[in-house]
Amino acid sequence: MLGLPKGEVYLIPWTNEWVTEFRNESEKIKSELDELVLAVHHIGSTAVKNLSAKPIIDIAIELNEYQLGKQCVQGLKRLGYEYKGTDILPDRYYFSKGEPRTHQIHMFQTGNHYLIKQLAFRDYLIKDNEALNEYQTLKETLSRKHQTDKITYSHEKTEFINIIMEKLGFN
C-alpha cells in the first residue's frame, strides 16, 4: 500500500496501515538517531484519518539545532534513506526512501515556521470535517487532472491551504 513511482500522481483511500507504518518507522529513526532528535511527527495527508493521499509517509523530524541535521545523514542512510540536501525545500534537510518512494523526511530545527504550519494544517483537518471533505474533493479533482505533474498538483492546492492558514492566524 506504499510507494509512488516517479512522475505519477494518484491517491489511495486512507488506511490505518499508514499509522502503523509511521509508528514503526518513527521507532527505527529514534533508535538510530537517539539524542539528536527532539520529536518525530507524522505529517501530510497520510496523517489525517479519512483523507486520501499519495501513498508516501511524510515524516517531520524536529532537531534542537539545525546544524545537527548533518549528523543524522549517515544514520538515516543506514535505514535506507537517500539524502537529497537542503536545497529541495526551504529551511530543512530532505530525505526520501524507496523507489517507488515510500517515505520522505523533512528535518527542521524546533520552532521552524514551516514545521509549525505543517502541524497546524494537519491538526485543523483532523478537527474540522467540513475542511477535510473540501480538501478531499480538491485533491481528488487535482489528482485526476494532473496524473503526471506533481508540481502542478501541489501548486494548485496552495490557495486552499493558504485560506486555512489565514484562519489559523498565519500570513
Side-chain angles (χ1 to χ4, degrees), residues 30-96:
K30 290 175 189 172
S31 177
E32 182 67 40
L33 301 180
D34 198 24
E35 73 279 348
L36 294 171
V37 174
L38 286 179
V40 180
H41 306 279
H42 191 181
I43 59 172
S45 295
T46 61
V48 180
K49 187 174 183 176
N50 299 322
L51 182 61
S52 294
K54 294 178 292 185
I56 301 169
I57 304 297
D58 279 296
I59 299 169
I61 295 178
E62 195 171 346
L63 305 171
N64 194 35
E65 295 177 34
Y66 185 73
Q67 64 272 17
L68 291 175
K70 293 175 188 168
Q71 295 176 43
C72 297
V73 172
Q74 290 307 313
L76 290 172
K77 282 184 176 182
R78 284 190 289 275
L79 295 177
Y81 286 90
E82 184 179 344
Y83 178 52
K84 301 290 190 172
T86 57
D87 297 331
I88 304 285
L89 295 163
D91 293 344
R92 72 196 78 183
Y93 294 86
Y94 179 73
F95 300 80
S96 67

